[in-house]
Each structure stands twice: as C-alpha cells, then as structure tokens.
Amino acid sequence: MKKLVDARGLSCPLPVLKTKEAIEKGGEEIEVLVDNNTALENVTRLAQSRGFKVTTNKNTDGEWQILIKRGE
Amino acid sequence: MDRRDWFVVGTGLLIGVLAAVLVKLGNPGNMGFCIACFIRDIAGSLGLHRAAIVQYIRPEIPGLVLGAFIAALVGREFRSKGGSGSIIRFFLGIFMMIGALVFLGCPLRMLLRLGGGDLNALLGLAGFIVGIIAGVELLKRGYNLGRAQTGSIVGALVMPFIAVVLVLLAIYKPVFNAEAGGPIFVSAEGPGSLYAPLAISLAVGLIVGFLAQRARLCLSGGIRDFALTKDTYLLKGYGAIFIGVLITNLILGYFNLGFADQPVAHTDGIWNFLGMTLVGLAAILAGGCPLRQLVMSGQGDTDAGMTVLGMLVGAALAHNFMLASSPAGPTLYGKIVVILGLIICAGIGWYCREA
C-alpha cells in the first residue's frame, strides 16, 4: 500500500524527517507532498541515497508530488 | 560530488574569500561577515540600543535579503508563506541573537574566526554542535510549530522593502535631530567605525544572498542533516567557507593562531561554548541559522522575517540589558540569560509537539 507524507508548509527539516520515518517503517512506495524547492531537493536526495527511484510531478504552482519507490 | 555539491562548495569558497577581502577593505577583524554582529550594528544605528561603538547600517545585511529576493524571483520561488508559530519564532530569533552576542559571532563568523586562527571559536563550535544535537533530538520527538500557509504577497514584500529602506538610510544617513543626532547613528570608534566602502559591502551582500539562496546554504543545517540522515550536502558548504577564509587569511597575513588577542573575541571558554549551544538549539527550532533566516525572509517566508525581527530586537535587548560580551569577557547578566534561554528554548522544543 502506498503511504502518504503531507509535508506542505512544514519547516526544514521536517519534510525529510517525515519521509525518513516513512521509509524506516518499511514503506516501499511513498507519496510526499511538498511546497518549496528546498524540501523537494532534500527529500529527493534522501530517497535516492536510500536506493529509491524518484519521480516528481508539479501539482500546482509551487507544490510538488514526489513519488518514491523501492528500486529494483 | 555531483553538480549541486560543486555549487555549494563554490558558494562556500567564495563566501570565505569575500569575507577576508571585506576585512582587508575595512570591516572589523574576522568579521567580513557576521549576521549577528551586523544586525546588532544596524539596531544601534537605528537607535534601538546606545552602545556607541557598535552603530552602523551594515549594507551587507539588506544586500543579503535583496540578493535572496532576486534569486527567488529568478528561480520562480518567491512565495508568501507564514503563520507557523510566528511569535515563537520571534523569540527564537531573540535568543539566537543573545547567544551569538555572548559568544561574539553568528555561526558564520564562528567559521570565519576559526579560519583566522581564533581557537576560542573551537569551543563555540563544540557548543554549537551540542545545541544542534539537542535540537535534533527534540525534532525526533515530534517538535513542530505547525504548517505555514500561503499568504498575501504584501506580507512577502515587507522584508525586501525594509531592506531597500535600510540601503537608502545607509546612503543618505538623514539627521532629523540636530542636537542629539539621529535617527541614524554612526560609531566614531570601535567595531562600528570599521567598515568596507558602502558600494562594495552592498555588492558582496547581494552576491552572497543570491548564491546562498540558490545553494540553500545553512550553517546549522550542515551538522543537523548529518546527524539526522548522514547527508553531507550542506556540510560541504560549511567546510568550503572555512577553507576559503583560511587560505585568504594566510595570503593576506591575517592568520593568527591562538586563544589570546583575537579580534572582537573573548577567551572565556565556558561561555563561548554555552552561547553557541543556545544559538544551535534556537536555530534548529527556528529551521535555520541566522544567515538562512535572512535568505528565507527575502524569498517571501514571513516567519523567517519574524525571526530576523526577533534578532533585531534581541540585539537591542542584548546591549541595553548588558547581556552582550565584550573582549573583556561575558557579563553576569549575559550568563544568566543564556541559561534562561536554554531552558526556555528546551521548553519550546518539548511542548510544541504534534498531537
């Protein structure tokens, strides 16, 4: 099942911390919502460093959906 | 090392080099840049405190805000965000400033002092790390000031507007009160009387603000991210600033290794340590170091703007209440308020938790 981390509006480093917690709880597929470029970059970097595949979609102006999946 | 890593390293190196060059051009020793000291000088110049030796509108500060503002516009990142524990952030700004003025420097100046051979800054660094680790533990236990909301663009423009006004005041230095002076005060002696030419200070501020915004540079973030996820991105920028200023100091002959006789510094190790512990803890709770707060305030983050205004008020309080250290050492009042600040910040970190 896909997990959702809604990190919109949260200060640094909470988007990363919440994504990390979702990964450590055994998340194989996680959807992260962020609303600033810094969080987008930080969450992407974290997921890639843990061996996840990352795809990002720009939802509206200034909001992104980051899909992270355990790589093959 | 990928492209982003090289960018943050390049930014850090340039900041280190420019900081030493600013000293060469007139800024106080090991103080090419100091967010805390410079906001304090601005507070004095606006008459918010009456410490006559530290009054000058440092153009680097509005330059940083406007540089970040321009970078955010160019990168389409300028957005009005705020409402996440704003008044708490104001107080975190106050304590961040008081801790920095007991140590005599923000985290950036701590690195610049290290790069000038000032070993007192090593104790500051140790304290800073301890404060950050404490903040990270609070984060892991659910510390959160809540979500920021999208706000009016008017709010986002307040800090860039204030920055423009400061630049104009720095240029024109208006005098409305012929007898007592003011509204703008300028030191005749002491650190406030030492400054690089206005246009250069402003230009360096703009450049550093622009690059720091693009690189997301944050001095508390480096140690925090490493402690949290072993991420070394910001830490690379941190190391680069040190190397940049160290090499330039060696070339310019400013490097002087030791504890004694360091420019604008004192040798009381315990309070160098605890002052920076307070800065580290408050910075983690506020989501970034003083430099990062300035940058975020320029890109529309009104909560960061509140933190910056808290630092301005904190600077006035630090001098009016005799909390700020001098080269002779910390004051009794300063010591008491650092301890109080640590207790209050720990309380904020503990009680502001998610349900």
Side-chain angles (χ1 to χ4, degrees), chain A residues 37-42 45 48, chain B residues 1-12 77 210-217 232-234 236-237 292:
Chain A
N37 297 57
T38 308
L40 173 69
E41 291 162 15
N42 291 347
R45 207 163 54 237
Q48 285 171 344
Chain B
M1 294 276 288
D2 62 17
R3 235 183 79 230
R4 290 287 300 163
D5 289 334
W6 284 112
F7 184 68
V8 77
V9 165
T11 298
E77 289 182 53
F210 188 94
L211 293 174
Q213 198 279 341
R214 300 313 303 164
R216 326 295 183 205
L217 193 70
T232 58
Y233 170 75
L234 288 173
K236 291 182 185 109
R292 181 75 183 145

Side-chain angles (χ1 to χ4, degrees), chain B residues 45 51-56 184-195:
Chain B
S45 191
I53 58 167
V54 282
Q55 298 178 323
Y56 177 61
I184 301 305
F185 300 86
V186 181
S187 298
E189 54 177 1
S193 68
L194 300 171
Y195 47 83

Side-chain angles (χ1 to χ4, degrees), chain A residues 8-20:
Chain A
R8 289 175 296 177
L10 296 181
S11 304
C12 243
L14 289 171
V16 167
L17 185 62
K18 288 183 177 295
T19 307
K20 177 174 173 265

Side-chain angles (χ1 to χ4, degrees), chain B:
Chain B
M1 294 276 288
D2 62 17
R3 235 183 79 230
R4 290 287 300 163
D5 289 334
W6 284 112
F7 184 68
V8 77
V9 165
T11 298
L13 283 174
L14 185 67
I15 290 175
V17 171
L18 288 175
V21 170
L22 281 175
V23 173
K24 177 79 184 165
L25 293 175
N27 275 9
N30 288 346
M31 208 192 280
F33 260 108
C34 174
I35 310 307
C37 316
F38 286 5
I39 289 179
R40 182 267 318 275
D41 292 350
I42 290 174
S45 191
L46 296 173
L48 300 176
H49 69 70
R50 296 305 175 95
I53 58 167
V54 282
Q55 298 178 323
Y56 177 61
I57 295 192
R58 298 275 176 192
E60 290 89 346
I61 297 291
L64 278 166
V65 173
L66 293 172
F69 174 65
I70 294 165
L73 287 180
V74 170
R76 297 179 166 277
E77 289 182 53
F78 185 75
R79 249 168 239 117
S80 183
K81 290 273 175 192
S84 163
S86 308
I87 201 164
I88 295 175
R89 292 175 190 275
F90 183 82
F91 275 89
L92 291 171
I94 289 179
F95 286 118
M96 205 145 54
M97 178 58 80
I98 291 172
L101 292 179
V102 167
F103 165 70
L104 293 176
C106 69
L108 176 54
R109 182 168 190 247
M110 179 180 74
L111 277 182
L112 302 179
R113 282 174 59 176
L114 274 178
D118 178 350
L119 295 176
N120 299 297
L122 271 181
L123 289 139
L125 177 62
F128 188 52
I129 293 171
V130 167
I132 289 171
I133 301 291
V136 166
E137 288 304 315
L138 291 164
L139 280 169
K140 286 182 185 166
R141 283 164 177 73
Y143 168 77
N144 188 345
L145 287 178
R147 287 181 202 276
Q149 310 292 327
T150 300
S152 158
I153 201 72
V154 176
L157 289 169
V158 169
M159 292 304 290
F161 176 76
I162 289 176
V164 170
V165 171
L166 283 176
V167 171
L168 293 176
L169 289 174
I171 293 171
Y172 293 107
K173 299 185 193 71
V175 178
F176 299 157
N177 182 339
E179 282 171 32
I184 301 305
F185 300 86
V186 181
S187 298
E189 54 177 1
S193 68
L194 300 171
Y195 47 83
L198 193 153
I200 292 173
S201 292
L202 181 62
V204 170
L206 284 167
I207 293 166
V208 171
F210 188 94
L211 293 174
Q213 198 279 341
R214 300 313 303 164
R216 326 295 183 205
L217 193 70
C218 175
L219 299 176
S220 53
I223 298 161
R224 176 199 66 201
D225 291 350
F226 185 74
L228 212 50
T229 62
K230 300 280 176 281
D231 180 31
T232 58
Y233 170 75
L234 288 173
L235 217 46
K236 291 182 185 109
Y238 205 76
I241 294 174
F242 172 72
I243 291 168
V245 74
L246 176 69
I247 291 171
T248 318
N249 276 331
L250 285 168
I251 293 169
L252 295 175
Y254 291 145
F255 187 80
N256 169 26
L257 191 70
F259 286 95
D261 301 321
Q262 296 292 346
V264 202
H266 64 76
T267 55
D268 190 327
I270 292 174
W271 296 97
N272 280 328
F273 181 96
L274 289 175
M276 285 311 286
T277 306
L278 179 56
V279 176
L281 176 58
I284 295 304
L285 299 181
C289 71
L291 172 68
R292 181 75 183 145
Q293 299 294 340
L294 273 182
V295 166
M296 291 194 297
S297 79
Q299 61 185 55
D301 184 332
T302 56
D303 288 333
M306 289 300 283
T307 313
V308 171
L309 294 177
M311 288 195 281
L312 183 73
V313 170
L317 293 174
H319 283 279
N320 290 339
F321 284 75
M322 305 301 286
L323 312 177
S325 299
S326 69
T331 68
L332 174 63
Y333 309 106
K335 293 176 186 176
I336 292 170
V337 174
V338 164
I339 299 295
L340 278 176
L342 285 168
I343 294 169
I344 291 170
C345 288
I348 289 171
W350 185 254
Y351 286 106
C352 296
R353 274 189 294 182
E354 294 172 26

